Amino acid sequence: SFYIGASYYTGEASQGVSNIDVSSTVAEVHAGFNASGFDIHGLYAINQIDDKNAATIDGNGYYINGSYSIGEWTPFAQYEAYTTDDTKDDITLTTVGINYNPTHNVVLKADYVLRDNRGKDDDRFELGIGWSF
């Protein structure tokens, strides 16, 4: 199956404080495809915080994720890049890992992340557990 969606929000963000004039805009588009255990999906998002008395802050980012389920096991890979300041380079992450689902509502996760924090490597090995109830 294939899906696509998007969302957009813009509005005043000063929370009723009279001497602050701040607005915020967030927008995103996402899409995905899955069939026969194969899944690929991604997302692109932007944000802007505009303070009339100070600087505007822009940010954006995206990711793409692919996986293939083999019984209880799901190996995956993901690439993502984002910035919170358009004047700086992106922070990028490349993740490879595997999920194990011993039951339908429990997942055990292991992955390795290659993280480039604007020229500084910050790689890591991660373990996790998740469950829904």
Side-chain angles (χ1 to χ4, degrees), residues 21-103:
D21 190 6
V22 177
S23 64
S24 177
T25 301
V26 179
E28 65 82 31
V29 61
H30 60 275
F33 174 80
N34 54 50
S36 303
F38 176 76
D39 181 77
I40 187 165
H41 58 272
L43 175 137
Y44 176 76
I46 61 169
N47 73 302
Q48 180 180 56
I49 300 170
D50 187 15
D51 184 341
K52 305 294 188 257
N53 299 318
T56 297
I57 301 170
D58 292 318
N60 65 72
Y62 64 92
Y63 77 85
I64 187 162
N65 180 292
S67 65
Y68 183 73
S69 293
I70 308 163
E72 296 86 17
W73 299 91
T74 306
F76 68 91
Q78 178 168 297
Y79 180 80
E80 58 189 292
Y82 66 91
T83 185
T84 56
D85 183 343
D86 279 341
T87 64
K88 297 181 180 178
D89 292 335
D90 286 350
I91 297 170
T92 61
L93 297 93
T94 303
T95 305
V96 292
I98 192 159
N99 295 335
Y100 173 66
N101 295 91
T103 67

Side-chain angles (χ1 to χ4, degrees), residues 1 9 13 16-17 21 48 62 93 97-99 102 104 108 111 114 119:
S1 67
Y9 167 81
V17 179
D21 190 6
Q48 180 180 56
Y62 64 92
L93 297 93
I98 192 159
N99 295 335
H104 77 282
L108 306 174
D111 61 57
L114 301 166

